Amino acid sequence: MINWAAARSFVALKFRTMTRTPQAMIGLILGLILGCVFGALATFALWTLRGHEHAELTLALALSGLAALWFLGPLVLGGGEIILDVRRFGPLPLSRSTIAAGLLLASFIGVPTLVTIVIVSASLTHASSVSTGAVMVAAAVVFVVSVVMASRVAVAFMTLLFGTRFRAAATAITMLVAISLGAASQSLVYIGERVSIEDLRTARNIVRWLPTSWAAEALALASSGRLLVACGFLVAATAFVAVVGRVWSRLLARHIEGEGAEDPTRRHGPLVPSWMDRLVDRRTAAAWARANRSIRRDPREWAETAAFIPLVLAFSLPAVTVIRSASPNLMLVSYLAVSSSVAITTSNIFGSDGPTFVADAFPGDGFRSVLIGKTIPRMTAVMVLVALGTIALARLTGGWTMLPVSLVLIVQSGLVATTAGIFVSLRSPIPLPDRVGSLAGNNAGCLASLIRVVTLFAINIATTAWAAPTLAFALLGRPLIALIPGVALLAASVWWYLWIVEVEGRRTANRVPELLASLSLRS
Amino acid sequence: MCLSVQAADHVADPSTTWAIHAHGLTKQFGQHTAVNRLDLTVPRGSMFGLLGPNGAGKSTTLSMVTGLLRPDAGLVNVNGRSVWPDPTAVKATIGVVPENLLLFERLSAREYLSYVGRFRQMDDEAIETRTADLLAVLDLESAEDKLITDYSMGMRKKISLAAALLHAPPLLILDEPFESVDPVSQRSIRQILDQLLDAGGTVVLSSHVMATVEELCDWAAIMHHGTLLRFGPMSELRNGQRLDDVFAEAIGTDALPPTRLDWLNSSGSADPGRPT
């Protein structure tokens, strides 16, 4: 039994929440503007396609793509419903069907739904008669309901089946894929230029087997007057909506009536691996192991580093495509990838984790162990990744003679960037929002990003200056001689790193209250 | 300030003398049994304290009683109704402050209470009057337009309590209600609970703080490892002893073994971390 008055309150609640703060309002307006532009372009495209020989094919693929976006959305957004989390309705006397109806109604409040409705409505202009129009309207309704409902199921699945860590990891991975695809747009255009109508037909023949595409198929088929087949797909799409509704209802029950907790009897591995204890002193090993653990558990820790790699690869695609004729000197600039990535990950190690940073400190040695423990995993991960890329470049260009000096530069710039990152991090920590909900009211705003960009450039200039003697010899065609200043400066980098760690560690120990206060925007 | 709320909006079945009756309640998480065949009766009109160390199963029990967690086995009756065939009906007659305070972060206190009232199908006038009263009594008036996301833990507890009280339930179930709440607000909360009891309501609260339970509750139960160890009227349970002594005796930690923490004796030495 659905309590429609309560279900309508879901809509009011969502709208109120979306417009509650000026920041949220601005976001909504910007989203609406973008949505309107996108919707208008799509509508124009669909309008001009009317009567075109490939209109049906285009309509089927475009709407199937739109449906796919709805299912991928929860993954990209972390799978959690931030505004109307179903668990918040648990203590209230609302039946499962009322909650489902309320959430479904509330889903229609938002830019994505609005844009979808505009696009689907625009596709109705392809109707050539009343009968095709009637089938298309029915298919359009089923399309909108199915994508909204299936997206809710995706949200419920993500929230219920996987923990916060998994969802954060899924988000980070999806973002990485998106960044890679976006940055590799040149390749996509290259592929796009060579796609034939036959390829698109093949794609449609595959995509139409997906239940999420059935409503789109019904719309497309009806637009070209193939009403019988369209009705078949429409029935299948309606059945799909019914199945999705049932699955969603069960998932809601799990949300409202509790979910399983982690088995406390599960065994965990050793906190500090024995090889770390052998490599460094016990305190540093403890800090190192903890940093490794937090990198594994919190994708925000590794997403920045990981995002850098596809960016570097994707933007160098044009060079890679003609790499066989390129100069092996390209390998020498790989140190910039290391310094940029290390600069991003180490230049705010205090600001991003201040209280834990302080808690990790050991009495007597200041912050030396913490600094080493926290920076080693970040630095080595980037060095190893870029070194592997450089070896691949050596293989492609045949520039094996440049490999040793490139590897020396990688380690050298990693150390220099880490040292500079530590210095900046402890001199100018940038507070990060303590939780997602406070994003609007409690952060350093665009200034934080600006400071980090400036830091990134400054650190790159510093590492370039440090690498200049080595680079000069290498570029003059003397890679072996370049190893002499390279190794000497590498030794100096190690010394500089240890010195800064010692000095800044001691200095920080005396400034903990001031540093923590600088992280608290409330104070 | 006196609340205009009376525990009469939802009248419990008068034929029963108990507010909660659970029998054979069981919940497992993987290999871990959180609650093991628990039998519990909460008399109507009582202030009932549920005690136990961390991980005893108090919150799991309360979640099953309030329709927030489906038990693996057993029966629960609340106000004369069986919970699990229709948890929605039972939720209408109870107010809950759960362990995990899941609130609508981007609403103000006033807006939050207003929506809770609407979801509980209360009329607008009652919502408005009661919201004003509750915000005043719980000292949230000055922060009523602040977003809940910016509230301290104590304020979140208070707004959650206000939401639980809004519909004047005959049974109020509170998981650690005084945790992180300042002493002045604690006093206000106690007065509200007393008022609810005077109106014939029942209050069940879980707590680690023995003094609070000893002072407030007239009935209590002690849980450990998912089972009920002691249960009864406070006077009988205490039997002339202090409640924390009864608690320690019940869960078997009345004294630490004398040799267990020998290493603490080296705490005054120059290097306390080095094993001797």
Side-chain angles (χ1 to χ4, degrees), chain A residues 206-517:
Chain A
I206 296 166
V207 167
R208 74 197 313 182
W209 288 101
L210 299 172
T212 52
S213 299
W214 289 344
E217 270 296 323
L219 255 168
L221 288 165
S223 72
S224 60
R226 296 157 71 187
L227 290 183
L228 199 63
V229 197
C231 286
F233 271 102
L234 185 56
V235 170
T238 311
F240 173 62
V241 170
V243 170
V244 168
R246 200 158 178 77
V247 171
W248 188 33
S249 173
R250 291 198 172 187
L251 287 173
L252 281 180
R254 292 283 302 276
H255 276 299
I256 300 162
E257 296 164 9
E259 50 194 276
E262 189 180 326
D263 184 358
T265 56
R266 196 163 66 98
R267 290 184 182 280
H268 295 280
L271 287 173
V272 181
S274 54
W275 61 266
M276 275 188 198
D277 266 336
R278 282 196 291 273
L279 211 60
V280 289
D281 64 272
R282 284 173 58 82
R283 290 169 170 177
T284 309
W288 185 356
R290 193 195 164 282
N292 271 351
R293 196 169 280 255
S294 77
I295 286 171
R296 274 207 313 274
R297 290 186 173 175
D298 189 350
R300 287 174 304 175
E301 295 268 356
W302 52 258
E304 285 179 331
T305 309
F308 203 78
I309 307 304
L311 271 177
V312 169
L313 289 176
F315 281 114
S316 59
L317 268 179
V320 172
T321 52
V322 289
I323 204 81
R324 285 180 192 285
S325 60
S327 162
N329 290 347
L330 262 179
M331 288 161 60
L332 292 171
V333 293
S334 54
Y335 81 92
L336 276 176
V338 174
S339 68
S340 304
S341 187
V342 169
I344 290 171
T345 53
T346 60
S347 60
N348 197 31
I349 46 174
F350 190 85
S352 59
D353 199 15
T356 321
F357 198 97
V358 173
D360 279 354
F362 297 95
D365 86 331
F367 283 81
R368 183 186 161 277
S369 310
V370 184
L371 287 172
I372 296 177
K374 276 188 181 293
T375 51
I376 282 181
R378 289 172 167 84
M379 182 167 58
T380 46
V382 174
M383 284 179 186
V384 169
L385 282 170
V386 178
L388 289 174
T390 309
I391 292 168
L393 270 177
R395 171 80 180 81
L396 282 166
T397 59
W400 291 105
T401 50
M402 287 292 181
L403 186 62
V405 71
S406 300
L407 294 178
V408 166
L409 281 172
I410 284 170
V411 181
Q412 184 188 303
S413 60
L415 282 161
V416 173
T418 306
T419 310
I422 289 171
F423 187 81
V424 173
S425 181
L426 296 172
R427 300 283 163 155
S428 167
I430 302 164
L432 292 184
D434 51 358
R435 55 177 184 269
V436 175
S438 63
L439 202 63
N442 182 20
N443 64 51
C446 62
L447 190 64
S449 309
L450 198 64
I451 292 171
R452 296 195 75 182
V453 169
V454 171
T455 307
L456 175 69
F457 276 102
I459 290 177
N460 273 337
I461 290 167
T463 50
T464 303
W466 201 258
T470 316
L471 274 175
F473 281 108
L475 289 170
L476 288 170
R478 310 276 181 167
L480 281 177
I481 294 174
L483 282 174
I484 298 168
V487 172
L489 286 164
L490 176 61
S493 310
V494 173
W495 177 85
W496 194 34
Y497 170 74
L498 293 174
W499 183 71
I500 284 285
V501 158
E502 193 71 41
V503 171
E504 286 300 312
R506 251 185 283 125
R507 183 177 169 276
T508 305
N510 297 325
R511 292 184 61 242
V512 168
E514 289 79 9
L515 279 168
L516 284 178

Side-chain angles (χ1 to χ4, degrees), chain B residues 44-178:
Chain B
R44 182 180 302 281
S46 66
M47 176 85 93
F48 192 97
L50 191 56
L51 298 165
N54 290 332
K58 304 185 296 293
S59 296
T60 307
T61 302
L62 293 184
S63 295
M64 289 190 284
V65 167
T66 53
L68 293 172
L69 184 68
R70 188 179 283 277
D72 295 333
L75 297 168
V76 201
N77 275 272
V78 169
N79 291 329
R81 287 173 198 260
S82 184
V83 173
W84 283 101
D86 186 8
T88 310
V90 170
K91 284 176 189 176
T93 67
I94 61 175
V96 186
V97 174
E99 183 188 28
N100 302 319
L101 298 177
L102 291 169
L103 306 165
F104 291 102
E105 306 284 340
R106 281 189 268 172
L107 294 180
S108 68
R110 186 173 285 278
E111 289 167 338
Y112 177 64
L113 293 180
S114 166
Y115 278 109
V116 168
R118 285 170 73 169
F119 284 127
R120 287 195 175 275
Q121 293 179 276
M122 292 168 61
D123 64 70
D124 289 347
E125 199 186 326
I127 294 172
E128 204 171 313
T129 316
R130 292 178 184 193
T131 296
D133 287 349
L134 285 164
L135 291 176
V137 169
L138 292 169
D139 195 24
L140 288 170
E141 267 179 323
S142 57
E144 66 176 36
D145 291 323
K146 208 170 160 182
L147 296 189
I148 291 174
T149 188
D150 292 325
Y151 275 19
S152 67
M153 191 49 166
M155 290 163 84
R156 293 167 71 83
K157 277 271 178 200
K158 288 196 281 184
I159 192 64
S160 188
L161 178 66
L165 283 166
L166 194 69
H167 58 297
L171 173 61
L172 194 61
I173 297 176
L174 315 170
D175 204 335
E176 300 286 354
F178 299 109

